[in-house]
Amino acid sequence: MQGSYSAMSVDNNTTGFSKAISHEKNERVARASLNDILGFQKSVEKEMKKLTEKLQNGTDVDKGLLHKMRVVEEQYLNVLDGFRQHDDNSQKHALIVYADAVQDLISHLHRHGVPQ
């Protein structure tokens, strides 16, 4: 029975239409992810400004939270710099470090609550 039927093989090296669709999907995902990062970063910057103003006015603030926000901001700037000046591996590394900083910030918020 060997060879009496033909099995379709999977072509991992897609070309033409399939490759174009895959590429467009990846671009949409990347664009949506970048928009999410930008929106999150704007929120972080807005909250940092509020906390900094409270601190300058003598109000007690969660300095640990403010520190974690500054780390997120610093890593965000590293990501942007990576997109402009570095190779793919360095860009990936910068994104991973940024994601870790965001995770630390979110963990802090879950442990200590969102400031009022």
Side-chain angles (χ1 to χ4, degrees):
M1 276 269 168
Q2 190 174 4
S4 64
Y5 66 92
S6 64
M8 293 182 66
S9 64
V10 176
D11 181 11
N12 290 330
N13 297 317
T14 58
T15 58
F17 185 72
S18 296
K19 194 172 190 175
I21 295 294
S22 177
H23 182 70
E24 283 183 27
K25 180 182 176 189
N26 290 340
E27 281 187 13
R28 279 194 307 270
V29 169
R31 204 172 300 115
S33 297
L34 184 57
N35 283 333
D36 290 343
I37 289 172
L38 292 172
F40 179 78
Q41 194 58 37
K42 284 181 183 179
S43 295
V44 169
E45 289 170 3
K46 182 178 157 186
E47 293 303 316
M48 279 178 56
K49 184 177 178 182
K50 286 181 187 177
L51 288 175
T52 301
E53 287 172 356
K54 285 182 178 182
L55 189 61
Q56 290 172 345
N57 291 333
T59 305
D60 191 31
V61 298
D62 183 348
K63 291 178 184 168
L65 175 61
L66 189 56
H67 172 73
K68 294 206 181 287
M69 289 177 161
R70 286 182 178 142
V71 170
V72 166
E73 181 181 45
E74 179 183 323
Q75 296 310 320
Y76 170 76
L77 295 174
N78 285 339
V79 167
L80 294 182
D81 187 48
F83 285 143
R84 285 189 296 264
Q85 299 180 9
H86 300 297
D87 62 12
D88 287 349
N89 285 334
S90 296
Q91 291 172 8
K92 288 175 191 174
H93 178 73
L95 282 168
I96 290 167
V97 173
Y98 172 74
D100 287 345
V102 169
Q103 188 173 16
D104 285 347
L105 172 60
I106 291 171
S107 293
H108 184 91
L109 289 170
H110 282 296
R111 281 192 308 272
H112 301 281
V114 178
Q116 301 301 321

